[in-house]
Amino acid sequence: MANLKITPAQEKAVKSEGFLRNRGTDNFSARIITVNGKITAAQQKLIGDAAEKFGRGEVLFTSRMTIEIPGIPYEKIRDFQDYIAKEGLFTGGTGAKVRPVVSCKGTVCIHGTIDSFEISEEIHKRFFLDYNSVKLPHKFKVAVGGCPNNCVKPDLNDLGIVGQMVPNYDKDLCMGCKKCAVEDTCPMGAAKVVDGILEMSDECKNCGKCIGKCNFDAIPDGERGYKIFIGGMWGKRPQVAKPLSKIFKSPKEVYDVIEKMLLLYREQGQTRERVAQTVNRIGFENVEAQLLSDEIMERKDKILNADLH
């Protein structure tokens, strides 16, 4: 055991800046924010250099796609921050506030239906940065998934976004083929020819795989959208989030819902209560009604300026 000399007050102060004490030592892991799990080659090189210069030459990756460098002495924390700032990097990602945004690679993935990097970067700017000083009841995690494959598990976050591609199906063009290319393509078995006509069931996840597959152009294209889930939680008391009842058509609508959820959570959540617990306590239908109206935005300044949590 090392001769510990860091006080609890010092430890708490640097933790708020993203430095987590390494157990049994006076060294810390620096949590570097990657915006959405994406860094440049220059940043990657600098991170490696920083790990050797200030830490013990190791780089760790967290479940929220941030980067941690362990083994940094307390007295080198400021020098470390100045060093990584040369490539626009900074530390953080702790506390009862919006946590680092997680995104899948839907922007470049063959399954992606939305530009997940663009959406997640904008969420980072608007809510991780701009809401950084806003105290919440507890941590608030956001994940952006580019398609219904749910690789980053949006429905296990406080708020999750899942890209949608809603097929435009024209029944009048369906020829009821005995071997239907759309039916063969659908991974969910949601598309089936019944009594000579293609039917789409509620099992459809809007993955977009059926678009363009019909030989008679019954599904020529689709409409991009965003499904939003609220109230997910992992950990000791896991809970799967519920989706809001509508599919949103634009990123602006998504950002509006996120801001309303943050305001609702700050105003109506109890200190140390996760979003899932707030939703359970006041009712999903109640929360959804508030998120689909603009009433809470009229109280925005009052909610942000209130002495809460």
Side-chain angles (χ1 to χ4, degrees):
M1 180 72 70
N3 182 23
L4 306 182
K5 59 183 180 296
I6 307 301
T7 68
Q10 290 173 316
E11 182 177 348
K12 182 179 180 180
V14 296
K15 182 178 180 181
S16 69
E17 298 181 52
F19 289 86
L20 308 174
R21 193 170 191 165
N22 297 157
R23 184 175 57 203
T25 76
D26 281 337
N27 295 333
F28 292 78
S29 290
R31 181 171 293 175
I32 300 174
I33 305 303
T34 65
V35 180
N36 52 13
K38 181 177 65 173
I39 57 176
T40 67
Q43 288 173 332
Q44 185 174 3
K45 184 177 185 301
L46 183 79
I47 288 169
D49 292 342
E52 291 185 338
K53 185 177 178 68
F54 298 96
R56 58 179 191 234
E58 297 175 343
V59 178
L60 314 178
F61 295 87
T62 75
S63 61
R64 296 208 68 76
M65 297 185 178
T66 59
I67 291 172
E68 286 191 8
I69 295 179
I72 299 175
Y74 176 83
E75 59 272 16
K76 291 186 178 181
I77 283 176
R78 299 302 168 214
D79 291 340
F80 175 85
Q81 289 175 312
D82 292 340
Y83 189 81
I84 65 171
K86 293 188 291 185
E87 284 295 338
L89 294 168
F90 61 95
T91 60
T94 61
K97 52 190 175 181
V98 178
R99 292 296 185 88
V101 181
V102 172
S103 172
C104 76
K105 62 185 184 72
T107 300
V108 296
C109 179
I110 59 171
H111 303 295
T113 61
I114 60 173
D115 189 340
S116 54
F117 284 152
E118 181 179 33
I119 293 285
S120 56
E121 187 166 350
E122 186 65 24
I123 293 171
H124 170 87
K125 291 175 182 176
R126 293 190 185 209
F127 305 111
F128 180 79
L129 295 181
D130 291 353
Y131 267 67
N132 186 258
S133 62
V134 177
K135 292 182 179 179
L136 298 174
H138 209 306
K139 66 186 99 173
F140 187 94
K141 297 181 176 181
V142 180
V144 181
C147 79
N149 284 344
N150 293 339
C151 294
V152 294
K153 304 173 182 63
D155 57 0
L156 291 177
N157 280 252
D158 298 286
L159 187 145
I161 298 121
V162 177
Q164 306 279 284
M165 184 59 70
V166 184
N168 289 326
Y169 172 41
D170 186 346
K171 268 191 176 184
D172 292 337
L173 295 179
C174 176
M175 302 299 290
C177 302
K178 290 184 178 180
K179 184 172 176 56
C180 174
V182 173
E183 183 175 342
D184 289 345
T185 300
C186 179
M188 296 303 299
K192 292 185 179 297
V193 176
V194 180
D195 296 329
I197 193 76
L198 181 68
E199 300 289 352
M200 309 286 279
S201 76
D202 292 339
E203 289 298 313
C204 176
K205 300 297 183 184
N206 299 321
C207 67
K209 297 297 183 185
C210 62
I211 292 173
K213 295 298 190 294
C214 176
N215 296 322
F216 297 94
D217 293 328
I219 310 178
D221 53 26
E223 189 170 4
R224 201 177 309 280
Y226 308 84
K227 182 176 283 190
I228 297 179
F229 293 79
I230 59 169
M233 180 171 60
W234 198 232
K236 300 180 184 70
R237 298 181 179 88
Q239 177 173 309
V240 177
K242 294 181 181 180
L244 299 182
S245 59
K246 66 176 287 187
I247 294 176
F248 299 88
K249 303 299 184 182
S250 70
K252 180 185 181 303
E253 290 181 285
V254 173
Y255 307 143
D256 288 347
V257 169
I258 296 174
E259 185 160 33
K260 292 174 188 176
M261 188 68 239
L262 285 170
L263 293 172
L264 185 154
Y265 184 40
R266 174 169 165 77
E267 179 188 55
Q268 300 168 40
Q270 297 175 353
T271 302
R272 300 299 299 169
E273 183 178 68
R274 291 295 300 272
V275 168
Q277 295 167 314
T278 301
V279 172
N280 292 343
R281 178 171 52 80
I282 67 178
F284 179 85
E285 292 76 14
N286 180 356
V287 172
E288 179 173 38
Q290 293 186 66
L291 297 181
L292 297 182
S293 75
D294 293 324
E295 187 270 335
I296 200 166
M297 294 301 294
E298 297 172 5
R299 305 196 305 279
K300 177 178 176 179
D301 291 341
K302 180 180 178 181
I303 294 171
L304 293 179
N305 293 324
D307 185 14
L308 297 169
H309 314 301

